[in-house]
Structure formats: C-alpha cells, structure tokens
Amino acid sequence: MGDQPQRIDGQQGTRRPFRYFDLVMAAFVTILLLSNVIGAGKVAVLDLPSIGAWEFGAGILFFPVAYIIGDILTEVYGYAHARRCIWAGFAALLFMALMAMVVVALPPAANWGGQAAYEQVFGQVPRIVLASMIAFWAGEFANSYVMARMKVWTGGKMLWSRTIGSTVVGQGVDSALFYPIAFLGAAGWTTDLVITVALTQWALKTAWEALLTPVTYKVVGFLKKREGVDVFDTDTDFSPFAIGRK
C-alpha cells in the first residue's frame, strides 16, 4: 500500500512526479465544468416534509465537490500545486464560456430546429459569466489559502477543522461576489433578495461539504499514503500569480 507519508515543509522535495496528481486535477476541472453546464441552467424542486416545495439550483449538487477536491489538493500536494489546478480550472471555464457564445451565435441550418432549445441551455448572459469567473477565482484561492495556513497552525491535526473552516471562507467569498455581481440591480432582484439567496446558498454549500467530510478523510488518507508526502506550506509564496515558484 506504499510508505507512510513524509512531511515536506514548503515545496522542497515536491518537484517529483506524483502518481495521482494529474487525475485529481482532471477531476477538479471536470466537476467545475459540469457544475456550470449541467447544474447551473436548471432550477429543481423538492417537496420537503414540514417545508413544502423547495426550489434550488441543481448546480449545488456539483459545485461544492470542486471545493472538496480543492481541499484535497492543498492538503496532500500543497498550495502551489492547488494553485496550478485553480488556474487550469479558470482557463477551462473561460474557454467553455467563449465557445458557448460562439457556437450559440453561429447561424443554424434551415433544416435544424434545435436553435431555441440550444440557446436556452447553452446561451449565457455575459454578466453572469463574469460573476461566475470572478467568484470562482477568488473563492478557490481563499479556500486554498485558509486550508494551507490552518494546516500549519494545527500541525497537520484536526483535518475536519480546516476542511470546514476553509469552506466557510471560500464559499463565503464565492457567494458574496457572485450574487451581487450577477443579479444586484437586475429586474426582479431586490437587494434583500440578493442577500437572502447568497446567504442561503453559502449555508447549503457549506453544509453539503461538511456532510462529505468522511469521504474527504478517506481520499486524503489514500493519496498521502500512495504519494508518500504530506506537504506543509511553511515558506510558500501565496500569491495567486506566483505560478512556477514555491
């Protein structure tokens, strides 16, 4: 099953090839794109006991998982490796948004009747796309920073405290940026409604990630043992733009 993980302070010794890093990064980017393509466009409803009909964006099923993987990346491989994944995800989101705009705008063939449905599913409001990009970038970096700093503060103990603590901050930053940028001043969106939806989504996403803490523990334990490292960001450059430096 591999050796016990070796403590690595900063990024010294992490220039080695990892067995699973590329797979974890691929999972991170895939789930991020799915949350914006499959989940973001649908409003679902559940009939809850004592509450009744409860409407929610289907993206809540996907998007928090990206933050969980972000926690795993920072915990196992360190902030610098997580930073690379965040930029990869940002680039993928940008490319997807641009391609969606181009493909939707292309004139449809006369014998193809799916343009209206295609526009409804893949057509994107530029303001919402901008809000999503900014919120993801800031939220993920805040999440990874808090995760890395808390790991040093706790001496690598109490993993649950930093996964939940970083989620509270990261999802808080995400929601605080996305909803005002996307909807404040838009038709039908009062200031009170924007604040209510932002707080509700922040609470739900945080609770969902907290419920998945046992899964996070298992994945982190597996990866640390197989990769043989346990990175502590004691001297890491935390600038989001310091790609290629420790």
Short mmCIF file of all heavy atoms in Angstrom, two decimals, residues 126-182:
data_model
loop_
_atom_site.label_atom_id
_atom_site.label_comp_id
_atom_site.label_asym_id
_atom_site.label_seq_id
_atom_site.Cartn_x
_atom_site.Cartn_y
_atom_site.Cartn_z
N PRO A 126 -23.60 37.48 -20.35
CA PRO A 126 -22.22 37.89 -20.05
C PRO A 126 -22.01 38.31 -18.61
O PRO A 126 -20.97 38.01 -18.02
CB PRO A 126 -22.01 39.05 -21.02
CG PRO A 126 -22.90 38.76 -22.18
CD PRO A 126 -24.12 38.13 -21.57
N ARG A 127 -22.98 38.98 -18.02
CA ARG A 127 -22.83 39.43 -16.63
C ARG A 127 -22.71 38.24 -15.68
O ARG A 127 -21.90 38.26 -14.75
CB ARG A 127 -24.03 40.29 -16.24
CG ARG A 127 -23.96 40.80 -14.81
CD ARG A 127 -25.14 41.69 -14.49
NE ARG A 127 -25.13 42.07 -13.09
CZ ARG A 127 -26.06 42.83 -12.51
NH1 ARG A 127 -27.05 43.32 -13.24
NH2 ARG A 127 -25.99 43.12 -11.22
N ILE A 128 -23.50 37.18 -15.92
CA ILE A 128 -23.46 36.01 -15.05
C ILE A 128 -22.16 35.24 -15.26
O ILE A 128 -21.56 34.72 -14.31
CB ILE A 128 -24.68 35.11 -15.30
CG1 ILE A 128 -25.96 35.87 -14.88
CG2 ILE A 128 -24.56 33.79 -14.56
CD1 ILE A 128 -27.23 35.10 -15.13
N VAL A 129 -21.70 35.16 -16.51
CA VAL A 129 -20.43 34.50 -16.79
C VAL A 129 -19.29 35.22 -16.06
O VAL A 129 -18.44 34.60 -15.43
CB VAL A 129 -20.14 34.47 -18.31
CG1 VAL A 129 -18.74 33.95 -18.58
CG2 VAL A 129 -21.18 33.60 -19.02
N LEU A 130 -19.28 36.55 -16.15
CA LEU A 130 -18.25 37.35 -15.46
C LEU A 130 -18.31 37.11 -13.96
O LEU A 130 -17.27 36.92 -13.31
CB LEU A 130 -18.45 38.83 -15.78
CG LEU A 130 -17.49 39.79 -15.06
CD1 LEU A 130 -16.06 39.55 -15.52
CD2 LEU A 130 -17.91 41.24 -15.32
N ALA A 131 -19.51 37.12 -13.40
CA ALA A 131 -19.67 36.90 -11.97
C ALA A 131 -19.16 35.52 -11.56
O ALA A 131 -18.49 35.37 -10.53
CB ALA A 131 -21.14 37.04 -11.58
N SER A 132 -19.48 34.53 -12.36
CA SER A 132 -19.05 33.16 -12.07
C SER A 132 -17.54 33.04 -12.08
O SER A 132 -16.94 32.40 -11.20
CB SER A 132 -19.68 32.19 -13.07
OG SER A 132 -19.26 30.87 -12.84
N MET A 133 -16.90 33.64 -13.07
CA MET A 133 -15.44 33.56 -13.20
C MET A 133 -14.75 34.24 -12.02
O MET A 133 -13.83 33.69 -11.42
CB MET A 133 -15.00 34.21 -14.51
CG MET A 133 -15.60 33.60 -15.75
SD MET A 133 -14.83 32.06 -16.24
CE MET A 133 -13.26 32.62 -16.81
N ILE A 134 -15.20 35.45 -11.70
CA ILE A 134 -14.58 36.20 -10.60
C ILE A 134 -14.78 35.48 -9.27
O ILE A 134 -13.85 35.34 -8.47
CB ILE A 134 -15.16 37.62 -10.53
CG1 ILE A 134 -14.75 38.42 -11.76
CG2 ILE A 134 -14.70 38.33 -9.25
CD1 ILE A 134 -15.41 39.79 -11.85
N ALA A 135 -16.01 35.01 -9.04
CA ALA A 135 -16.32 34.35 -7.76
C ALA A 135 -15.55 33.05 -7.60
O ALA A 135 -15.03 32.75 -6.51
CB ALA A 135 -17.83 34.08 -7.68
N PHE A 136 -15.45 32.26 -8.68
CA PHE A 136 -14.69 31.02 -8.61
C PHE A 136 -13.23 31.29 -8.29
O PHE A 136 -12.63 30.67 -7.41
CB PHE A 136 -14.80 30.25 -9.93
CG PHE A 136 -13.70 29.24 -10.12
CD1 PHE A 136 -13.72 28.04 -9.44
CD2 PHE A 136 -12.63 29.50 -10.98
CE1 PHE A 136 -12.69 27.12 -9.59
CE2 PHE A 136 -11.62 28.59 -11.14
CZ PHE A 136 -11.64 27.39 -10.44
N TRP A 137 -12.63 32.22 -9.02
CA TRP A 137 -11.20 32.52 -8.85
C TRP A 137 -10.90 32.97 -7.43
O TRP A 137 -10.00 32.44 -6.77
CB TRP A 137 -10.80 33.61 -9.85
CG TRP A 137 -9.34 33.90 -9.90
CD1 TRP A 137 -8.40 33.29 -10.67
CD2 TRP A 137 -8.65 34.90 -9.15
NE1 TRP A 137 -7.16 33.84 -10.45
CE2 TRP A 137 -7.28 34.83 -9.52
CE3 TRP A 137 -9.04 35.85 -8.21
CZ2 TRP A 137 -6.32 35.68 -8.98
CZ3 TRP A 137 -8.09 36.69 -7.66
CH2 TRP A 137 -6.74 36.60 -8.04
N ALA A 138 -11.66 33.93 -6.94
CA ALA A 138 -11.41 34.47 -5.60
C ALA A 138 -11.75 33.45 -4.52
O ALA A 138 -11.01 33.28 -3.54
CB ALA A 138 -12.22 35.75 -5.40
N GLY A 139 -12.88 32.74 -4.69
CA GLY A 139 -13.30 31.77 -3.68
C GLY A 139 -12.35 30.60 -3.55
O GLY A 139 -12.03 30.18 -2.43
N GLU A 140 -11.88 30.08 -4.67
CA GLU A 140 -10.98 28.94 -4.62
C GLU A 140 -9.62 29.30 -4.02
O GLU A 140 -9.05 28.54 -3.24
CB GLU A 140 -10.78 28.34 -6.02
CG GLU A 140 -11.87 27.37 -6.44
CD GLU A 140 -11.83 26.06 -5.67
OE1 GLU A 140 -10.88 25.83 -4.90
OE2 GLU A 140 -12.74 25.25 -5.85
N PHE A 141 -9.11 30.48 -4.36
CA PHE A 141 -7.83 30.88 -3.78
C PHE A 141 -7.96 31.16 -2.29
O PHE A 141 -7.05 30.84 -1.51
CB PHE A 141 -7.26 32.09 -4.52
CG PHE A 141 -6.43 31.71 -5.72
CD1 PHE A 141 -6.82 32.08 -7.00
CD2 PHE A 141 -5.27 30.98 -5.57
CE1 PHE A 141 -6.06 31.73 -8.11
CE2 PHE A 141 -4.50 30.60 -6.67
CZ PHE A 141 -4.90 30.98 -7.94
N ALA A 142 -9.08 31.75 -1.88
CA ALA A 142 -9.31 31.97 -0.45
C ALA A 142 -9.41 30.64 0.28
O ALA A 142 -8.84 30.46 1.37
CB ALA A 142 -10.59 32.79 -0.24
N ASN A 143 -10.11 29.69 -0.33
CA ASN A 143 -10.27 28.36 0.26
C ASN A 143 -8.92 27.67 0.43
O ASN A 143 -8.60 27.13 1.50
CB ASN A 143 -11.17 27.52 -0.65
CG ASN A 143 -11.41 26.12 -0.12
OD1 ASN A 143 -12.22 25.90 0.76
ND2 ASN A 143 -10.69 25.14 -0.66
N SER A 144 -8.10 27.70 -0.62
CA SER A 144 -6.80 27.03 -0.58
C SER A 144 -5.85 27.70 0.41
O SER A 144 -5.10 27.03 1.13
CB SER A 144 -6.19 27.02 -1.98
OG SER A 144 -5.01 26.25 -2.01
N TYR A 145 -5.88 29.04 0.46
CA TYR A 145 -5.01 29.76 1.39
C TYR A 145 -5.33 29.41 2.84
O TYR A 145 -4.44 29.10 3.63
CB TYR A 145 -5.15 31.27 1.17
CG TYR A 145 -4.38 32.09 2.18
CD1 TYR A 145 -3.01 32.30 2.04
CD2 TYR A 145 -5.02 32.65 3.29
CE1 TYR A 145 -2.30 33.04 2.97
CE2 TYR A 145 -4.32 33.38 4.23
CZ TYR A 145 -2.96 33.58 4.06
OH TYR A 145 -2.26 34.29 5.00
N VAL A 146 -6.62 29.47 3.18
CA VAL A 146 -7.03 29.16 4.56
C VAL A 146 -6.68 27.71 4.90
O VAL A 146 -6.21 27.42 6.00
CB VAL A 146 -8.54 29.42 4.75
CG1 VAL A 146 -9.01 28.92 6.10
CG2 VAL A 146 -8.83 30.91 4.60
N MET A 147 -6.91 26.81 3.96
CA MET A 147 -6.59 25.40 4.17
C MET A 147 -5.11 25.21 4.48
O MET A 147 -4.73 24.52 5.43
CB MET A 147 -6.97 24.62 2.91
CG MET A 147 -6.80 23.12 3.01
SD MET A 147 -8.16 22.35 3.89
CE MET A 147 -7.59 20.65 3.95
N ALA A 148 -4.25 25.85 3.68
CA ALA A 148 -2.81 25.70 3.85
C ALA A 148 -2.33 26.32 5.17
O ALA A 148 -1.51 25.73 5.89
CB ALA A 148 -2.08 26.35 2.67
N ARG A 149 -2.82 27.51 5.48
CA ARG A 149 -2.40 28.17 6.71
C ARG A 149 -2.87 27.43 7.96
O ARG A 149 -2.14 27.28 8.93
CB ARG A 149 -2.91 29.61 6.74
CG ARG A 149 -2.41 30.49 5.60
CD ARG A 149 -0.89 30.53 5.53
NE ARG A 149 -0.31 31.16 6.71
CZ ARG A 149 0.97 31.12 7.01
NH1 ARG A 149 1.82 30.45 6.23
NH2 ARG A 149 1.42 31.73 8.09
N MET A 150 -4.10 26.94 7.92
CA MET A 150 -4.63 26.21 9.08
C MET A 150 -3.89 24.89 9.30
O MET A 150 -3.76 24.42 10.43
CB MET A 150 -6.13 25.95 8.91
CG MET A 150 -7.00 27.17 9.12
SD MET A 150 -8.77 26.77 9.17
CE MET A 150 -8.85 25.84 10.72
N LYS A 151 -3.41 24.28 8.21
CA LYS A 151 -2.66 23.04 8.36
C LYS A 151 -1.38 23.27 9.16
O LYS A 151 -1.00 22.46 10.02
CB LYS A 151 -2.32 22.44 6.99
CG LYS A 151 -1.62 21.09 7.08
CD LYS A 151 -1.42 20.46 5.72
CE LYS A 151 -0.79 19.09 5.85
NZ LYS A 151 -0.62 18.43 4.54
N VAL A 152 -0.71 24.39 8.88
CA VAL A 152 0.49 24.73 9.64
C VAL A 152 0.14 25.06 11.09
O VAL A 152 0.79 24.61 12.02
CB VAL A 152 1.23 25.91 8.98
CG1 VAL A 152 2.42 26.36 9.82
CG2 VAL A 152 1.70 25.53 7.57
N TRP A 153 -0.93 25.83 11.28
CA TRP A 153 -1.34 26.23 12.63
C TRP A 153 -1.71 25.03 13.49
O TRP A 153 -1.42 24.99 14.69
CB TRP A 153 -2.53 27.18 12.56
CG TRP A 153 -2.24 28.47 11.86
CD1 TRP A 153 -1.02 29.04 11.63
CD2 TRP A 153 -3.20 29.34 11.25
NE1 TRP A 153 -1.14 30.20 10.93
CE2 TRP A 153 -2.47 30.43 10.68
CE3 TRP A 153 -4.59 29.33 11.13
CZ2 TRP A 153 -3.10 31.47 10.00
CZ3 TRP A 153 -5.21 30.37 10.46
CH2 TRP A 153 -4.47 31.42 9.91
N THR A 154 -2.37 24.03 12.88
CA THR A 154 -2.83 22.86 13.64
C THR A 154 -1.81 21.73 13.66
O THR A 154 -2.06 20.67 14.24
CB THR A 154 -4.14 22.32 13.06
OG1 THR A 154 -3.93 21.94 11.69
CG2 THR A 154 -5.25 23.35 13.14
N GLY A 155 -0.66 21.94 13.01
CA GLY A 155 0.35 20.90 12.97
C GLY A 155 -0.09 19.66 12.21
O GLY A 155 0.40 18.57 12.47
N GLY A 156 -1.00 19.85 11.27
CA GLY A 156 -1.48 18.72 10.48
C GLY A 156 -2.56 17.91 11.15
O GLY A 156 -3.03 16.91 10.58
N LYS A 157 -2.98 18.31 12.35
CA LYS A 157 -4.04 17.59 13.05
C LYS A 157 -5.40 18.21 12.75
O LYS A 157 -5.50 19.27 12.17
CB LYS A 157 -3.76 17.61 14.55
CG LYS A 157 -2.43 16.98 14.95
CD LYS A 157 -2.18 17.10 16.45
CE LYS A 157 -0.84 16.49 16.83
NZ LYS A 157 -0.55 16.63 18.29
N MET A 158 -6.44 17.53 13.16
CA MET A 158 -7.82 18.02 13.03
C MET A 158 -8.13 18.46 11.59
O MET A 158 -8.47 19.62 11.33
CB MET A 158 -8.08 19.18 13.99
CG MET A 158 -7.96 18.79 15.45
SD MET A 158 -8.42 20.13 16.58
CE MET A 158 -7.18 21.37 16.20
N LEU A 159 -8.00 17.53 10.67
CA LEU A 159 -8.28 17.82 9.26
C LEU A 159 -9.66 18.43 9.09
O LEU A 159 -9.85 19.35 8.28
CB LEU A 159 -8.15 16.54 8.43
CG LEU A 159 -8.56 16.62 6.95
CD1 LEU A 159 -7.72 17.65 6.21
CD2 LEU A 159 -8.44 15.25 6.30
N TRP A 160 -10.63 17.95 9.84
CA TRP A 160 -12.00 18.45 9.72
C TRP A 160 -12.09 19.95 9.96
O TRP A 160 -12.89 20.66 9.34
CB TRP A 160 -12.93 17.72 10.69
CG TRP A 160 -12.55 17.92 12.14
CD1 TRP A 160 -11.72 17.15 12.90
CD2 TRP A 160 -12.97 19.01 12.97
NE1 TRP A 160 -11.59 17.68 14.16
CE2 TRP A 160 -12.35 18.81 14.24
CE3 TRP A 160 -13.81 20.11 12.80
CZ2 TRP A 160 -12.54 19.68 15.31
CZ3 TRP A 160 -14.00 20.98 13.87
CH2 TRP A 160 -13.38 20.76 15.11
N SER A 161 -11.26 20.46 10.88
CA SER A 161 -11.34 21.88 11.21
C SER A 161 -10.93 22.76 10.04
O SER A 161 -11.53 23.82 9.81
CB SER A 161 -10.46 22.19 12.43
OG SER A 161 -9.08 22.04 12.12
N ARG A 162 -9.94 22.33 9.28
CA ARG A 162 -9.51 23.16 8.15
C ARG A 162 -10.33 22.91 6.89
O ARG A 162 -10.48 23.83 6.08
CB ARG A 162 -8.02 23.00 7.88
CG ARG A 162 -7.50 21.60 7.73
CD ARG A 162 -5.96 21.65 7.68
NE ARG A 162 -5.35 20.33 7.55
CZ ARG A 162 -5.09 19.54 8.58
NH1 ARG A 162 -5.37 19.94 9.81
NH2 ARG A 162 -4.53 18.36 8.39
N THR A 163 -10.85 21.70 6.70
CA THR A 163 -11.72 21.50 5.54
C THR A 163 -13.00 22.33 5.69
O THR A 163 -13.45 22.98 4.74
CB THR A 163 -12.07 20.02 5.33
OG1 THR A 163 -12.72 19.51 6.50
CG2 THR A 163 -10.83 19.21 5.03
N ILE A 164 -13.58 22.31 6.89
CA ILE A 164 -14.80 23.09 7.12
C ILE A 164 -14.48 24.57 7.22
O ILE A 164 -15.19 25.42 6.65
CB ILE A 164 -15.51 22.59 8.39
CG1 ILE A 164 -15.99 21.14 8.19
CG2 ILE A 164 -16.70 23.50 8.72
CD1 ILE A 164 -16.62 20.52 9.42
N GLY A 165 -13.39 24.92 7.93
CA GLY A 165 -13.03 26.32 8.07
C GLY A 165 -12.72 26.98 6.74
O GLY A 165 -13.17 28.10 6.46
N SER A 166 -11.98 26.29 5.88
CA SER A 166 -11.65 26.85 4.57
C SER A 166 -12.89 26.95 3.69
O SER A 166 -13.02 27.88 2.89
CB SER A 166 -10.58 26.00 3.88
OG SER A 166 -11.06 24.69 3.61
N THR A 167 -13.81 26.01 3.86
CA THR A 167 -15.06 26.04 3.10
C THR A 167 -15.91 27.22 3.50
O THR A 167 -16.50 27.90 2.64
CB THR A 167 -15.84 24.73 3.32
OG1 THR A 167 -15.12 23.65 2.75
CG2 THR A 167 -17.22 24.81 2.68
N VAL A 168 -16.00 27.48 4.78
CA VAL A 168 -16.77 28.63 5.27
C VAL A 168 -16.26 29.91 4.62
O VAL A 168 -17.03 30.75 4.15
CB VAL A 168 -16.70 28.73 6.80
CG1 VAL A 168 -17.29 30.06 7.29
CG2 VAL A 168 -17.45 27.57 7.45
N VAL A 169 -14.94 30.07 4.59
CA VAL A 169 -14.34 31.27 4.00
C VAL A 169 -14.48 31.27 2.48
O VAL A 169 -14.95 32.24 1.88
CB VAL A 169 -12.86 31.39 4.40
CG1 VAL A 169 -12.21 32.57 3.68
CG2 VAL A 169 -12.72 31.55 5.90
N GLY A 170 -14.08 30.17 1.83
CA GLY A 170 -14.08 30.11 0.38
C GLY A 170 -15.47 30.26 -0.21
O GLY A 170 -15.69 31.05 -1.14
N GLN A 171 -16.43 29.50 0.32
CA GLN A 171 -17.80 29.61 -0.18
C GLN A 171 -18.40 30.95 0.17
O GLN A 171 -19.24 31.49 -0.57
CB GLN A 171 -18.66 28.48 0.40
CG GLN A 171 -18.32 27.10 -0.10
CD GLN A 171 -18.78 26.85 -1.53
OE1 GLN A 171 -19.21 27.77 -2.23
NE2 GLN A 171 -18.71 25.62 -1.98
N GLY A 172 -17.98 31.52 1.30
CA GLY A 172 -18.45 32.85 1.68
C GLY A 172 -17.99 33.90 0.68
O GLY A 172 -18.78 34.76 0.24
N VAL A 173 -16.73 33.84 0.30
CA VAL A 173 -16.19 34.77 -0.70
C VAL A 173 -16.89 34.57 -2.04
O VAL A 173 -17.28 35.53 -2.72
CB VAL A 173 -14.66 34.57 -0.86
CG1 VAL A 173 -14.15 35.34 -2.06
CG2 VAL A 173 -13.94 35.01 0.41
N ASP A 174 -17.08 33.30 -2.43
CA ASP A 174 -17.74 32.98 -3.69
C ASP A 174 -19.14 33.57 -3.74
O ASP A 174 -19.51 34.26 -4.70
CB ASP A 174 -17.78 31.46 -3.87
CG ASP A 174 -18.30 31.05 -5.24
OD1 ASP A 174 -19.51 31.16 -5.47
OD2 ASP A 174 -17.49 30.60 -6.06
N SER A 175 -19.93 33.30 -2.72
CA SER A 175 -21.32 33.78 -2.70
C SER A 175 -21.40 35.30 -2.58
O SER A 175 -22.25 35.94 -3.20
CB SER A 175 -22.08 33.14 -1.52
OG SER A 175 -22.18 31.73 -1.70
N ALA A 176 -20.50 35.89 -1.79
CA ALA A 176 -20.50 37.34 -1.59
C ALA A 176 -20.17 38.08 -2.88
O ALA A 176 -20.60 39.23 -3.07
CB ALA A 176 -19.51 37.72 -0.49
N LEU A 177 -19.43 37.44 -3.77
CA LEU A 177 -19.08 38.07 -5.03
C LEU A 177 -20.08 37.74 -6.14
O LEU A 177 -20.52 38.62 -6.89
CB LEU A 177 -17.68 37.63 -5.47
CG LEU A 177 -16.52 38.20 -4.67
CD1 LEU A 177 -15.21 37.54 -5.10
CD2 LEU A 177 -16.43 39.71 -4.83
N PHE A 178 -20.45 36.45 -6.25
CA PHE A 178 -21.26 36.02 -7.39
C PHE A 178 -22.63 36.69 -7.44
O PHE A 178 -23.01 37.28 -8.47
CB PHE A 178 -21.44 34.51 -7.40
CG PHE A 178 -22.36 34.02 -8.49
CD1 PHE A 178 -21.93 33.99 -9.81
CD2 PHE A 178 -23.66 33.65 -8.20
CE1 PHE A 178 -22.78 33.58 -10.82
CE2 PHE A 178 -24.52 33.23 -9.21
CZ PHE A 178 -24.08 33.19 -10.53
N TYR A 179 -23.38 36.62 -6.38
CA TYR A 179 -24.78 37.08 -6.43
C TYR A 179 -24.91 38.59 -6.61
O TYR A 179 -25.73 39.04 -7.44
CB TYR A 179 -25.54 36.57 -5.20
CG TYR A 179 -25.72 35.08 -5.26
CD1 TYR A 179 -24.87 34.22 -4.57
CD2 TYR A 179 -26.71 34.52 -6.05
CE1 TYR A 179 -25.00 32.85 -4.66
CE2 TYR A 179 -26.86 33.14 -6.15
CZ TYR A 179 -26.00 32.31 -5.45
OH TYR A 179 -26.13 30.95 -5.54
N PRO A 180 -24.13 39.42 -5.91
CA PRO A 180 -24.23 40.85 -6.20
C PRO A 180 -23.78 41.21 -7.62
O PRO A 180 -24.42 42.02 -8.30
CB PRO A 180 -23.30 41.49 -5.15
CG PRO A 180 -23.26 40.50 -4.04
CD PRO A 180 -23.30 39.17 -4.72
N ILE A 181 -22.67 40.61 -8.09
CA ILE A 181 -22.19 40.93 -9.43
C ILE A 181 -23.19 40.46 -10.49
O ILE A 181 -23.44 41.16 -11.47
CB ILE A 181 -20.81 40.29 -9.68
CG1 ILE A 181 -19.76 40.89 -8.75
CG2 ILE A 181 -20.38 40.48 -11.14
CD1 ILE A 181 -18.40 40.21 -8.83
N ALA A 182 -23.78 39.29 -10.27
CA ALA A 182 -24.67 38.70 -11.27
C ALA A 182 -26.06 39.31 -11.26
O ALA A 182 -26.68 39.47 -12.34
CB ALA A 182 -24.76 37.19 -11.06
#
